[in-house]
Amino acid sequence: MPELLTTSGNIALTPATFQHRLLEWYDRHGRKTLPWQQDKAPYRVWVSEIMLQQTQVATVIDYYRRFMARFPDVHALAAASQDEVLHLWTGLGYYARGRNLHKAAQILVERYGGEFPVHSLEAMTALPGIGRSTAGAIIAISTGQRGVILDGNVKRVLARLHAVAGWPGKPAVERELWRLAERYTPDERLDDYSQAIMDLGATLCKRGTPSCLFCPFEDVCLAHAQGEERRFPESKPRKVLPERQTIMLLLRNEEGRLLLEQRPGAGIWGGLWCFPQFDDREALSRWIDAKAPGAILEPAWNSFAHTFSHFRLHIVPQPARCKRTGHVSEVDTLWYDSARPANIGLAAPVKQLLNASRPFAAQPSF
């Protein structure tokens, strides 16, 4: 690809010029007081990078602080139970990130003595949940070695700068963006450069309303020159989300506790605690006959929707009361006491329903 041209046709942006402009902007305007920027150890950078995947900085800050207070190093994280980890992840979403973080910590302790293999991109990307961009960020920010990043913010900056057509999820488009990322990544000030290009995308080159007048690349950005900033990067082709339905049984015992079951490790809400779920009323009735005979069903609450990336789930909360609890005291179940909450990972709709159940309302609204 030739050098990027200004609207007047002059060659304007070499890698050195790009780096100089970006770092000059960062020195003046970049964010430098975020909690994970104060001690750039690989562990701290890693946790922040995983949390920041598909999650806004403002949301992550409090989660990060609580997480680091409980798990100050990789050894503490590896020694924890999955429930402890997911409990601190509750509400952050994309729970596979938390499970992978836990698994990777155990591998780092068992295989590397708790040290990160930051001198090997291949070893880093072999760890659960760490892709090429995340590995590059950890390497660059924590060690100052050359690591190339291409997270969502960087994709947006480069796609607009060069008016790269197509959805970045397409292999050909992604390859072009990686080529540009490699081209512009310097050999010096890697930690600042990585923070700077992510910051530019997060604070100025935002998805919906980019602040082009304050951007250090306003005069050379092809998308801006075309007046099509919002076109780039192009969105994923839309598909109609499938609709599914589930009945969640809010079964309360005589002590006022609610029954929860732990989900399997893989799949939706993997490893989290949820209310028993049923595809239909017949399956619910069979379960009650087998495990909670005599349980009294109360009027069902209004359904509400919870949207995943690939389908929309309509949840019908079904409250019930039971006297005989022995049949449901099994492995991977517990009676949840809202007055003394257990440190367990909860799916977001379950947490929502637990909150609505204090006191046990006849018909809350969602």
Side-chain angles (χ1 to χ4, degrees):
M1 176 179 287
E3 297 291 352
L4 185 60
L5 304 182
T6 64
T7 54
S8 62
N10 297 320
I11 293 177
L13 203 63
T14 64
T17 302
F18 180 86
Q19 295 155 16
H20 174 76
R21 286 192 185 194
L22 180 65
L23 290 169
E24 185 178 59
W25 171 84
Y26 178 72
D27 289 340
R28 292 181 180 180
H29 306 291
R31 296 177 293 188
K32 305 177 184 68
T33 60
L34 296 171
W36 47 86
Q37 294 176 316
Q38 307 316 301
D39 175 4
K40 298 178 182 178
Y43 173 73
R44 292 174 58 84
V45 174
W46 170 52
V47 172
S48 71
E49 288 296 319
I50 299 300
M51 286 189 169
L52 287 165
Q53 291 172 358
Q54 304 185 66
T55 309
Q56 296 292 323
V57 167
T59 301
V60 166
I61 289 175
D62 287 342
Y63 279 94
Y64 180 82
R65 285 176 172 152
R66 289 193 294 267
F67 199 91
M68 297 307 298
R70 173 62 186 85
F71 307 120
D73 56 46
V74 70
H75 293 277
L77 178 56
S81 68
Q82 180 175 273
D83 270 340
E84 288 182 281
V85 176
L86 294 180
H87 172 67
L88 288 179
W89 208 272
T90 295
L92 197 55
Y94 299 98
Y95 292 94
R97 295 181 299 171
R99 295 194 301 271
N100 284 332
L101 203 74
H102 189 222
K103 292 175 188 174
Q106 293 175 330
I107 292 171
L108 286 165
V109 169
E110 294 169 3
R111 193 174 301 172
Y112 299 102
E115 299 294 327
F116 281 76
V118 290
H119 299 292
S120 170
L121 182 64
E122 182 179 1
M124 288 290 290
T125 55
L127 294 168
I130 298 183
R132 181 179 171 186
S133 180
T134 300
I138 296 168
I139 291 169
I141 296 171
S142 67
T143 73
Q145 301 176 60
R146 193 174 190 276
V148 182
I149 61 173
L150 190 66
D151 72 347
N153 288 316
V154 179
K155 288 178 180 178
R156 189 161 55 255
V157 169
L158 296 178
R160 285 175 172 164
L161 194 63
H162 285 269
V164 177
W167 173 51
K170 293 182 178 180
V173 179
E174 187 176 36
R175 283 195 299 271
E176 175 60 13
L177 292 173
W178 270 112
R179 189 191 70 78
L180 291 169
E182 289 274 2
R183 180 173 183 263
Y184 287 127
T185 300
D187 295 317
E188 299 177 345
R189 290 191 67 184
L190 266 301
D191 55 342
D192 288 343
Y193 174 86
S194 299
Q195 296 280 5
I197 194 168
M198 289 189 290
D199 246 18
L200 185 71
T203 63
L204 291 187
C205 197
K206 294 179 287 188
R207 182 181 293 109
T209 54
S211 302
C212 298
L213 292 177
F214 301 98
C215 179
F217 304 107
E218 182 202 8
D219 61 324
V220 293
C221 176
L222 293 185
H224 181 62
Q226 297 168 12
E228 294 189 306
E229 297 92 342
R230 296 191 181 187
R231 175 187 166 192
F232 302 98
E234 294 184 15
S235 300
K236 181 179 181 179
R238 286 194 174 186
K239 293 183 179 180
V240 177
L241 285 178
E243 307 278 343
R244 301 181 189 175
Q245 179 173 301
T246 189
I247 300 170
M248 283 192 176
L249 176 64
L250 281 62
L251 182 64
R252 185 180 292 273
N253 65 16
E254 289 184 304
E255 296 176 337
R257 299 178 180 182
L258 287 160
L259 181 70
L260 297 180
E261 297 179 333
Q262 189 170 33
R263 301 276 297 178
I268 298 299
W269 295 323
L272 299 179
W273 291 82
C274 297
F275 294 110
Q277 295 181 56
F278 307 93
D279 291 336
D280 52 45
R281 291 275 166 188
E282 185 177 334
L284 169 62
S285 297
R286 289 197 301 269
W287 187 95
I288 288 176
D289 289 342
K291 297 190 176 183
I296 300 172
L297 295 181
E298 299 178 344
W301 294 353
N302 290 336
S303 66
F304 64 100
H306 182 79
T307 302
F308 295 92
S309 60
H310 53 296
F311 72 94
R312 183 176 292 107
L313 182 65
H314 296 273
I315 298 169
V316 179
Q318 173 59 68
R321 291 179 287 112
C322 70
K323 294 183 178 180
R324 297 170 60 186
T325 61
H327 293 282
V328 292
S329 298
E330 301 174 351
V331 177
D332 299 331
T333 65
L334 63 82
W335 290 96
Y336 188 88
D337 185 353
S338 295
R340 292 185 292 275
N343 291 334
I344 56 175
L346 298 169
V350 173
K351 188 175 182 180
Q352 188 177 358
L353 287 168
L354 286 169
N355 290 336
S357 300
R358 293 183 291 180
F360 203 53
Q363 181 62 75
S365 58
F366 298 99

